[in-house]
Amino acid sequence: MKILISANSYWNLYNFRKDFIFELKKRNHEVILIAPKDNYYFNHFKKENIICESIKYKNKSYNPIINIYTFLQIFLKLQKIKPDILINFTMKINILFSINSFFFKFKLINNITGIGSSLINNKLQKIAVLYLLKIAFKRSNKVFFQNLKDKKFFIENKIITSNKAIILKYFGVDTFKYKFSPLQFLDNKKIHFLYFGRIIKDKGIFELIEAIKLVKKQYPYCIFTFLGQIDYNNPGFIDQKKIDEWVNQNLILYYKFTKNPIEFIKNADCVILPSYREGLPKSLLESQAIGRPVIASNVPGCNDLVKNNFNGYLCNSKNINSLFEKIVDFINLPNHKKLKMSQNAHKYINENFKSRSIINKYIDVLEIL
């Protein structure tokens, strides 16, 4: 089959979908990717002999002229490629490609990897996005969700019918690459915490910084490391100047994004993700596979991975005091209990989120459409 896969960036396709893409190719499907071209990941896929197409696209633009131009680009690409199946990732891409699909006869798969700020924060945006989703998703043959809450939201808002919805746990995690590594307790007088991901407001960064300020007053020896990129395309981006300010205040250590965070995870005692909403966060999957307890907000996606007092702690979303209390709980946890939490984290991921079995389930659905 000729399978076209779209997303809002080649970075997204590489970091979240590459195992799935290579498995499709291994099964002799003709795979074509389409996203805005970048300087690295586009060429990486090209070197693997995967066909790559590009579109000009602004993820957070509400300018109707820009969006109509993007829509027309997509139409021309679909007319040229003529796929058997179109698979879409990321919310706006889902909408633009799906509306275009009314002009064609291919099978359509949409993926909801988390409900973004447009459906959480702004009421007018929510109304507009819901209206567009109801139109766009009429053509969907199947819609994959990463957690039950998002699936329920789409069904209750009559965007899709229940027979089209499938829960699939992300694409899992490569447990051969992200192998268990025992907690090292590099220095018993220091506890190492790690946040890694995009540096944006919706990840709970400002609440985390305020919680860190409180922690540092009582436990000045604790170390907090931030690892990630500034997402200037997101309206909630946090700029370099603000990050530098936090570094200069000795609140955090900051390192720019790396495509291989394994050593950072190994050097941490605990990983923190106080996000407002997630699909199924890759950072927690990878961290727990390596055996790191996590502190995360009690929201969809995070609470699918974190069981309170078992493999980590859940805090209330957007609540500085709750986050502070959970960090302190971990600091004061005896080492033997930290080790048990570490083992539980690894075991839970290893038993439920192996990438190979999940990718196979996804492809099985495609091949019987």
Side-chain angles (χ1 to χ4, degrees), residues 112 114-115 145-157 167 277-279 298-301 303-304:
I112 301 302
I115 293 177
F145 296 88
Q146 293 182 354
N147 64 67
L148 187 60
K149 192 109 178 188
D150 288 350
K151 174 187 170 183
K152 186 178 178 183
F153 178 90
F154 269 64
I155 293 170
E156 287 181 347
N157 284 280
I167 293 282
R277 184 98 179 197
E278 291 286 335
N298 190 9
V299 298
N303 57 23
D304 289 284

Side-chain angles (χ1 to χ4, degrees), residues 6-7 63 66 93 103 123 125 139 142 154 169 192 197 212-213 216 220 281-282 319 327-328 330 332 352:
S6 71
N63 185 316
I66 291 173
I93 287 291
F103 300 100
K123 287 185 178 179
Q125 279 184 18
R139 267 277 283 120
K142 295 293 178 184
F154 269 64
K169 302 168 182 176
H192 294 248
I212 290 171
K213 289 178 182 177
K216 289 278 192 176
K282 184 183 179 188
N319 189 313
I327 294 172
V328 170
F330 185 81
N332 291 323
N352 295 282

Side-chain angles (χ1 to χ4, degrees), residues 198-259:
R198 291 180 296 160
I199 312 296
I200 58 174
K201 178 184 175 183
D202 285 2
K203 297 294 183 183
I205 297 296
F206 286 113
E207 289 84 357
L208 178 53
I209 288 295
E210 293 305 313
I212 290 171
K213 289 178 182 177
L214 295 174
V215 171
K216 289 278 192 176
K217 288 179 182 178
Q218 294 184 34
Y219 307 93
Y221 50 81
C222 286
I223 297 171
F224 294 86
T225 298
F226 281 23
L227 172 67
Q229 65 176 358
I230 301 171
D231 185 356
Y232 289 104
N233 291 319
N234 190 293
F237 80 88
I238 299 168
D239 63 20
Q240 187 67 52
K241 184 177 178 182
K242 178 59 71 175
I243 295 170
D244 291 341
E245 181 182 312
W246 295 334
V247 171
N248 291 334
Q249 292 172 357
N250 293 317
L251 294 173
I252 65 168
L253 302 174
Y254 173 65
Y255 298 89
K256 292 184 178 179
F257 170 77
T258 171
K259 59 180 180 290

Side-chain angles (χ1 to χ4, degrees), residues 308-364:
N308 218 14
N309 296 308
F310 174 72
N311 55 2
Y313 294 112
L314 289 169
C315 64
N316 296 328
S317 176
K318 303 181 183 180
N319 189 313
I320 296 164
N321 288 331
S322 178
L323 178 56
F324 164 70
E325 287 168 5
K326 296 304 178 185
I327 294 172
V328 170
D329 284 347
F330 185 81
I331 291 169
N332 291 323
L333 196 67
N335 281 355
H336 73 276
K337 291 189 176 181
K338 288 187 176 87
L339 286 169
K340 182 61 178 174
M341 202 173 266
S342 166
Q343 291 161 359
N344 291 342
H346 169 72
K347 183 180 179 182
Y348 182 67
I349 298 301
N350 212 46
E351 290 179 351
N352 295 282
F353 294 93
K354 280 188 176 179
S355 61
R356 180 62 56 200
S357 60
I358 295 173
I359 288 171
N360 287 340
K361 287 177 185 177
Y362 194 111
I363 295 176
D364 287 345

